[in-house]
Amino acid sequence: MAKKRHQTTAKRPQLTDGEIPVVGAREPCPCGSGRRYKACHGRAAAHAATELVQRPFEGLPGECDWVALRELVPAATVELPLKGGLPEGVPSVTLATVLPMAWPALRRDDGSVLLGLQNDTASGDISRDMADTLRRALEAEPGTPIQARRAPADGPRMQDLLDADGAFEPVVHSGFEFWVPDSENAAPEVAASLERANAAAIPTVKLTGVDAAYWCETPEKNHLRWVMPHPEERLLDALARLHAAGRSNLGEGTRLVGSFRAHGLTVPVWDLPSGVSADDVEKPAAEFAERLADALATDAPLTPEERRARGGLTNRQVTLS
């Protein structure tokens, strides 16, 4: 009988974790382990893609306004300063609540970049997904919309790309005409998208006297929605103290009705009579901010009345993200 020849295989080059490309879940892992990708390096990639980052905008200038523009404000833009300045051929980078056709980003004909905020994302980290979209938009040809994709698990986040010392100053718009330089001559599909978006936009105004507070008008009543940076439990205690003392309103006919929880921050909400405008609530909001600061500084245990008020507030809390 012929002797069996031992089969020899060449050694495969060893790759570091950062060099291993993404392949199909059932394909052999490129690291050379012999296991399927999903059971090897794909496991860590899948975990990174699905793990939810509770405060994706933490560390960015204007975190509270990032949350408001992501969840509450229909039409707004913000100029974004990049670390190291803008690349050659890119006159500006602008964050926008929504873009036409729900594009994640758009490289305009003049080279400027529009980056969408209210988009579905492929992973649990909105900041990483947006950073990947922004990098691709900066490198795209002018006149190109950027499509969605899953960002690399080890890719940068917006905190890595933006100038931490730059200002974050949202401009709220009544409609979405900022999408195109000449809305009257926009392409038919963009014009149709613009018309639909304008019809659905709720009139919204950003208050000037306090941070991250937004007045909005609805058919039955108006509202003030105020994104606050304080730890949730501490803030709820402070709101309960004021509510129990009858000092949580913003003037006659107004009422603190509950709060949202969004991206790791708490958003108290007030009902306002339909006749109360954004200008009308500026002074009451500033006065409330002073009362809230005093209540936040109080460490005494809640009284029975305050505990009941807190229970009522938490029962009416809604989680948006």
Side-chain angles (χ1 to χ4, degrees), residues 60-62 79-82 162-169:
L60 289 171
E79 295 297 312
L80 296 180
L82 304 186
L162 300 186
D163 183 355
D165 296 324
F168 191 83
E169 300 175 350

Side-chain angles (χ1 to χ4, degrees), residues 29-281:
C29 186
C31 75
S33 67
R35 291 181 292 172
R36 290 179 177 176
Y37 179 68
K38 69 176 183 179
C40 192
H41 281 84
R43 181 179 299 170
H47 178 72
T50 57
E51 185 177 14
L52 179 64
V53 176
Q54 296 291 338
R55 288 180 63 177
F57 308 118
E58 185 177 14
L60 289 171
E63 179 189 6
C64 293
D65 284 308
W66 278 88
V67 172
L69 268 57
R70 167 77 182 183
E71 299 294 342
L72 307 174
V73 181
T77 56
V78 187
E79 295 297 312
L80 296 180
L82 304 186
K83 283 184 179 178
L86 295 169
E88 184 177 356
V90 181
S92 64
V93 174
T94 303
L95 180 73
T97 48
V98 181
L99 294 182
M101 316 299 292
W103 289 326
L106 170 66
R107 182 82 186 270
R108 282 175 150 170
D109 291 336
D110 66 356
S112 61
V113 169
L114 285 177
L115 178 66
L117 180 56
Q118 295 181 13
N119 296 89
D120 292 334
T121 53
S123 80
D125 188 351
I126 298 169
S127 179
R128 194 178 310 281
D129 288 338
M130 290 186 64
D132 177 68
T133 300
L134 175 55
R135 291 180 74 186
R136 290 187 289 129
L138 292 171
E139 297 170 356
E141 292 294 323
T144 304
I146 307 303
Q147 303 302 324
R149 75 169 190 184
R150 175 175 290 181
D154 58 350
R157 308 178 73 236
M158 292 298 288
Q159 288 83 344
D160 301 315
L161 301 185
L162 300 186
D163 183 355
D165 296 324
F168 191 83
E169 300 175 350
V171 177
V172 178
H173 303 275
S174 59
F176 295 88
E177 282 73 19
F178 64 84
W179 281 353
V180 287
D182 184 5
S183 59
E184 293 184 359
N185 295 313
E189 65 273 16
V190 173
S193 184
L194 177 62
E195 183 177 355
R196 289 193 301 270
N198 281 343
I202 296 173
T204 301
V205 177
K206 185 181 190 299
L207 299 194
T208 60
V210 295
D211 292 334
Y214 291 81
W215 171 95
C216 68
E217 180 183 19
T218 61
E220 295 183 0
K221 62 184 71 173
N222 299 340
H223 305 280
L224 184 73
R225 302 178 290 190
W226 191 342
V227 187
M228 296 187 172
H230 317 291
E232 180 179 4
E233 296 303 314
R234 185 175 160 214
L235 176 59
L236 289 174
D237 282 352
L239 292 173
R241 295 181 198 279
L242 295 175
H243 203 58
R247 304 180 69 210
S248 65
N249 62 43
L250 300 175
E252 185 177 354
T254 69
R255 185 167 67 99
L256 174 65
V257 293
S259 63
F260 297 128
R261 183 189 291 112
H263 305 293
L265 299 182
T266 303
V267 189
V269 178
W270 285 262
D271 278 352
L272 313 172
S274 57
V276 173
S277 67
D279 287 339
D280 294 334
V281 83

